[in-house]
Amino acid sequence: MIRKLAIMVTAIVATYTTAFAQANLNLIPQPREISSQPGHFQWQKHTPIIASPAFKNVADLIATQNQPVKIFSGRHKADFAGTIRILEADSRTVPDSNGYQLQVTPSSIAVYARNAAGAISGAQTLMQLRLLQPDTNLIPAVTINDQPRFGHRGVMLDVSRTFYPISYIKRFLDLMWLYKMNTFHWHLTDGAGWRLQIKQFPELTQTAAWRYGNTWKDWAATGHRYAHEGDPNAYGGYYSQEQAREIVAYAAKRGITVIPEIEMPGHAEEVLAVYPQLSCSGIPYKNSEFCLGNDQTFDFLEKVLIEVMDIFPSAYIHMGGDEANKSAWKTCPKCQQRIKSAQLKDVEELQSYAIRRMERFLKSHQRHLLGWDEILEGGLAPDATVMSWRGENGGIAAAKAGHNVIMTPGAYCYFDHYQADPATQPEAQGGYVPLEKVYSYNPVPAALSATEAKHILGVQANIWTELIPHAAHLEYMAYPRIIALSEVAWSDTAHKNFAAFKARLQSHYLLLQRLNVNYFRPSYTVTIKPEINYQSKQTTVTFTSEQYQPVIRYTMDGTTPNAASTLYSGPVTFSGPALIRAAIFRDTMIQGTPALLEADFHKAIGKRVTYNLPYSKNYPAQKESTLTNGYRGSVSYGDGQWQGFEAHDMDVTIDMGTTEKLNDVSINFMQLTGVGIYIPSEVEIAVSPDGKAFQTVQLQKNDVPDNISVLTFKKFATSLNGQLARYIRVKAKNAQKGFLFADEVIVH
Ligand code: ACM
């Protein structure tokens, strides 16, 4: 009898500790302050939700089980036991106007906030906390004090290249809300289709919203032709004004502002196909840019904006402004006349004139202009806000000039780029933006003073959809990268730590599974990072992966690792050459493709390179040291080890310092045609005793076709059989006049 009682007590204690231990507090984005307490609140169907009048909508949002929602007037002392309440607070409880406090105790739940944005964020934390629990009706007791780092936490979706229906846009917004992303930048117009009903211009959606070619790729390959609404073989679609208003309201309820983008003066092929009189040539399918000398262009845009502003209450209207090809303006009589009459210097100023004119129009309707960083060219419109996408320089220049900025640099924020080794992925745009890269981003550049930094309103992911032909693939590209960006956008830098994020992310994979999100599962790619010690001539390699606590095995002789290969337990240091292959193992099975790194303290490391022709200012990598620093490039041309040569040949001379016995020389090039990078048509290697008279030892032609668009590498190598020389010259022919990218000249 006594023994039995003892067992019962143990069982009760075990149940209690299990319940407490199972409290999952792996919230993302990481709140500013979180303290956990024992016990949990039991969420029930009939749990009343009590809200301040201002937060009635927020209460509706979390009333997922048809709980009664009551309004709290605050006049009477109330008994809150067994309730969930969302109440207005003062600045003592919630110091930041967009912040919140969440208190969960075993007897009640309270969200305190000063405005609707704060209340919505607090409600979101509560909902995410709920979804993270093994039993979603047991909410762990916790106190959270939280506030956002940035006010603009955006995601841009391109619905022109690929059209996503209203039902999917709602799901996209639901997922954004789950991660406190509060701005949906809707890229509604572009060459591949106009997607918003404009009542004054019905041809935009009767014709320019439809095309031949299901995917953007098919359409682009078959001549960019538009079709007609009702054509059984057309691809496309558009949002009616009623649907767009529905999205605005749906988003607003989740604290999300919708910013519409109407592209001008470029990316307007679809408009000019139906209204060719607005282009310089007057001929459909000829120009991509509006004619800026023609007042009808501005009349058209203003009429469009009147309807757009009526649908979208956002303070900002995005006018595009990117990638305009200004060449037609140079010879168009109307554009030239405008340059003269408006006393402009050139076509750069003509673009600036057009943006300023749109800004004035928006301002007269109490709206602000937002545009891509090209709007800086030719002079920035007085109150324009800049989205810095071509790196950070545009954003830095704008902030220094006192303009507001949203950071969206391609190297961190383009989620149409690859997220893992391209060899393992569906075709994506050229760049390489894995999860850790996204997470590492700090939207406030070090170049800004504290005052200038205040102009950085926030950060945004951009998802261009040329190669994202359906919603399931969109989720694959967006998640989990949006989750990493959410922490960049919301959490203080003091709370950012990738290892801790990755640990919390494991819970979110489960959450995404529950919501049937087609997220990208963490990659099995092993990243091998070398660190060269130039004094000791040794290399140290570190292996990382997106997998959580992976079992990595490796070899150093180039053979494929197996279950008996050395287990990685920390950085490995060695001298001399090694061909490192590393892979993740589950039991005895290799997962994914083994990674390879050629580590080699070769003879040219640290030797001086002379550029007979300059490297590209935009892709300098490590400047003069790049080609002989011992570091090889990765799969990403933007990794800081690939040096670009733009529009002309590469021609460099390496001075070995003294006459050396040379056995072989090699150099690798990359091809990625989508961004204009080609393998050179031929590579010449020559040697010289004095740097003046060179003897060509090899002239090798390229055998990789220039129409191979997937990421490709080619090594050009020559044997020198012990020839003596001090200088090595490498020339590579840039037949396409695009980019050549090389990482290292390897000499033995
Ligand atoms: C852009 O990516 N063209 C803004």
Side-chain angles (χ1 to χ4, degrees):
M1 189 68 204
I2 286 171
R3 241 188 92 222
K4 208 167 173 186
L5 185 68
I7 288 166
M8 254 181 68
V9 170
T10 315
I12 289 164
V13 170
T15 308
Y16 174 78
T17 47
T18 308
F20 186 42
Q22 280 183 354
N24 185 325
L25 301 178
N26 292 328
L27 293 161
I28 298 179
Q30 176 68 38
R32 184 170 279 236
E33 283 174 29
I34 176 163
S35 70
S36 149
Q37 285 107 34
H40 53 254
F41 177 84
Q42 179 103 34
W43 188 303
Q44 288 168 339
K45 274 193 170 63
H46 53 265
T47 299
I49 301 178
I50 300 168
S52 296
F55 299 157
K56 163 81 168 66
N57 279 337
V58 185
D60 288 341
L61 199 57
I62 64 167
T64 53
Q65 300 191 46
N66 299 319
Q67 290 132 305
V69 173
K70 298 178 187 168
I71 298 301
F72 176 61
S73 69
R75 275 193 299 264
H76 307 288
K77 210 167 153 50
D79 177 10
F80 291 131
T83 67
I84 298 170
R85 54 203 194 277
I86 304 178
L87 300 180
E88 281 182 285
D90 59 25
S91 59
R92 274 172 308 165
T93 312
V94 181
D96 186 275
S97 60
N98 293 312
Y100 67 89
Q101 183 182 77
L102 171 65
Q103 282 184 1
V104 181
T105 71
S107 75
S108 72
I109 293 180
V111 173
Y112 296 104
R114 287 167 57 190
N115 64 24
I120 288 171
S121 294
Q124 186 284 318
T125 299
L126 174 59
M127 295 313 281
Q128 196 190 84
L129 189 60
R130 198 176 167 199
L131 283 169
L132 285 170
Q133 305 316 310
D135 177 343
T136 55
N137 288 328
L138 290 181
I139 317 296
V142 71
T143 301
I144 292 173
N145 288 296
D146 201 8
Q147 66 189 59
R149 180 174 179 206
F150 295 108
H152 181 111
R153 304 183 297 277
V155 181
M156 185 224 68
L157 180 63
D158 164 15
V159 295
S160 175
R161 275 57 173 246
T162 300
F163 178 73
Y164 305 94
I166 283 292
S167 55
Y168 189 75
I169 300 293
K170 287 185 180 170
R171 174 172 163 96
F172 198 75
L173 293 168
D174 286 341
L175 293 172
M176 279 178 63
W177 179 59
L178 192 58
Y179 291 100
K180 296 190 172 74
M181 300 305 281
N182 70 351
T183 309
F184 177 55
H185 169 174
W186 212 358
H187 186 78
L188 287 163
T189 77
D190 210 309
W194 181 283
R195 304 284 175 223
L196 178 69
Q197 178 191 26
I198 300 293
K199 292 181 177 162
Q200 286 215 55
F201 300 107
E203 290 83 356
L204 290 172
T205 45
Q206 286 165 357
T207 298
W210 305 92
R211 69 181 188 220
Y212 295 109
N214 235 5
T215 62
W216 176 87
K217 259 187 115 163
D218 287 345
W219 174 72
T222 53
H224 300 91
R225 285 311 191 248
Y226 305 95
H228 299 284
E229 186 168 18
D231 184 334
N233 291 317
Y235 170 91
Y238 60 88
Y239 309 106
S240 70
Q241 295 198 353
E242 195 183 330
Q243 287 175 320
R245 285 181 207 282
E246 194 182 316
I247 288 300
V248 168
Y250 191 88
K253 184 153 186 182
R254 286 154 185 79
I256 298 170
T257 301
V258 184
I259 298 180
E261 180 178 353
I262 303 296
E263 270 269 20
M264 59 77 64
H267 286 286
E269 293 89 341
E270 86 290 24
V271 178
L272 304 176
V274 295
Y275 303 123
Q277 66 275 23
L278 303 182
S279 69
C280 293
S281 69
I283 301 167
Y285 297 111
K286 201 164 163 79
N287 301 102
S288 307
E289 285 70 31
F290 286 103
C291 172
L292 299 181
N294 186 348
D295 277 330
Q296 281 183 57
T297 291
F298 295 98
D299 186 55
F300 166 81
L301 288 167
E302 289 175 5
K303 284 178 172 149
V304 167
L305 288 177
I306 290 286
E307 295 191 31
V308 167
M309 289 185 292
D310 194 52
I311 302 165
F312 298 94
S314 56
Y316 282 116
I317 304 289
H318 201 302
M319 296 305 302
D322 59 320
E323 300 180 307
N325 179 341
K326 303 175 174 99
S327 59
W329 303 339
K330 290 182 183 160
T331 53
C332 166
K334 287 183 190 152
C335 289
Q336 287 303 311
Q337 179 54 37
R338 173 85 70 202
I339 286 175
K340 212 178 279 170
S341 66
Q343 297 174 324
L344 309 172
K345 214 167 66 219
D346 51 21
V347 290
E348 304 297 328
E349 289 197 358
L350 181 59
Q351 152 132 349
S352 170
Y353 162 89
I355 301 287
R356 282 168 199 259
R357 194 161 157 173
M358 297 323 300
E359 188 192 42
R360 272 201 306 278
F361 179 75
L362 290 174
K363 245 171 129 169
S364 70
H365 290 82
Q366 293 75 50
R367 305 297 181 101
H368 299 286
L369 181 139
L370 184 55
W372 301 110
D373 59 51
E374 286 92 333
I375 66 172
L376 282 153
E377 293 164 7
L380 191 52
D383 290 322
T385 295
V386 171
M387 266 189 183
S388 190
W389 71 279
R390 297 175 302 174
E392 293 189 310
N393 288 344
I396 291 170
K400 282 188 182 291
H403 288 262
N404 287 335
V405 171
I406 291 150
M407 284 296 190
T408 65
Y412 299 91
C413 295
Y414 271 45
F415 293 178
D416 47 331
H417 290 187
Y418 284 104
Q419 54 194 326
D421 180 351
T424 67
Q425 294 301 300
E427 187 180 3
Q429 304 281 8
Y432 181 53
V433 182
L435 192 69
E436 186 168 6
K437 180 95 194 214
V438 177
Y439 192 82
S440 73
Y441 188 49
N442 182 355
V444 178
L448 298 182
S449 70
T451 313
E452 291 160 353
K454 289 199 171 69
H455 289 295
I456 307 294
L457 303 183
V459 63
Q460 176 172 297
N462 292 332
I463 310 178
W464 303 100
T465 57
E466 284 91 338
L467 302 173
I468 306 181
H470 49 73
H473 194 54
L474 173 60
E475 284 186 351
Y476 179 87
M477 300 304 280
Y479 288 89
R481 287 187 286 190
I482 285 180
I483 301 180
L485 192 73
S486 83
E487 201 144 305
V488 171
W490 179 278
S491 304
D492 227 47
T493 43
H495 292 92
K496 268 183 70 192
N497 172 311
F498 187 66
F501 169 78
K502 205 162 138 179
R504 278 180 285 121
L505 183 60
Q506 306 312 305
S507 299
H508 290 259
Y509 288 141
L510 219 58
L511 192 161
L512 295 177
Q513 285 169 25
R514 280 185 177 178
L515 299 175
N516 292 311
V517 176
N518 183 40
Y519 69 95
F520 167 72
R521 267 66 181 171
S523 159
Y524 284 100
T525 300
V526 176
T527 303
I528 309 176
K529 193 169 174 283
E531 188 73 46
I532 294 169
N533 184 324
Y534 295 100
Q535 271 74 49
S536 67
K537 303 195 172 189
Q538 284 186 313
T539 307
T540 298
V541 290
T542 311
F543 304 155
T544 56
S545 150
E546 286 181 0
Q547 294 293 319
Y548 190 58
Q549 300 175 337
V551 173
I552 297 175
R553 294 182 186 277
Y554 66 97
T555 67
M556 296 183 70
D557 60 3
T559 57
T560 301
N562 60 38
S565 300
T566 313
L567 184 69
Y568 176 73
S569 59
V572 184
T573 299
F574 55 92
S575 306
L579 200 53
I580 299 166
R581 258 187 215 279
I584 295 175
F585 280 75
R586 198 171 292 272
D587 306 325
T588 59
M589 297 297 293
I590 279 195
Q591 309 292 308
T593 316
L596 175 68
L597 180 91
E598 274 183 79
D600 189 358
F601 205 95
H602 62 85
K603 275 185 174 166
I605 287 181
K607 298 299 193 285
R608 194 167 58 86
V609 179
T610 303
Y611 288 78
N612 305 312
L613 289 170
Y615 53 78
S616 159
K617 282 202 172 58
N618 293 318
Y619 297 96
Q622 305 306 312
K623 302 186 177 161
E624 278 72 14
S625 72
T626 308
L627 298 174
T628 53
N629 67 359
Y631 290 101
R632 303 294 307 277
S634 67
V635 294
S636 167
Y637 65 87
D639 69 1
Q641 295 303 335
W642 286 102
Q643 188 164 59
F645 297 87
E646 187 172 356
H648 58 67
D649 294 352
M650 168 187 179
D651 184 352
V652 296
T653 304
I654 296 153
D655 178 358
M656 299 298 285
T658 55
T659 301
E660 294 257 3
K661 196 168 159 186
L662 303 175
N663 290 314
D664 56 75
V665 176
S666 65
I667 179 166
N668 275 282
F669 287 91
M670 169 190 279
Q671 178 157 303
L672 192 63
T673 60
V675 289
I677 303 173
Y678 293 91
I679 291 171
S681 56
E682 68 177 40
V683 173
E684 179 183 348
I685 295 171
V687 294
S688 164
D690 56 7
K692 293 185 186 91
F694 279 90
Q695 177 204 352
T696 299
V697 287
Q698 171 144 311
L699 189 65
Q700 190 183 345
K701 295 244 185 273
N702 174 28
D703 55 5
V704 177
D706 64 8
N707 62 358
I708 294 202
S709 64
V710 295
L711 179 67
T712 307
F713 299 92
K714 181 170 173 69
K715 180 173 180 170
F716 292 83
T718 185
S719 293
L720 291 151
N721 304 314
Q723 189 168 346
L724 293 174
R726 174 168 167 181
Y727 297 90
I728 301 164
R729 185 167 183 175
V730 181
K731 292 203 250 181
K733 204 172 249 340
N734 190 346
Q736 282 81 7
K737 304 288 178 219
F739 279 103
L740 303 178
F741 269 82
D743 60 344
E744 184 84 357
V745 179
I746 298 155
V747 179
H748 292 113

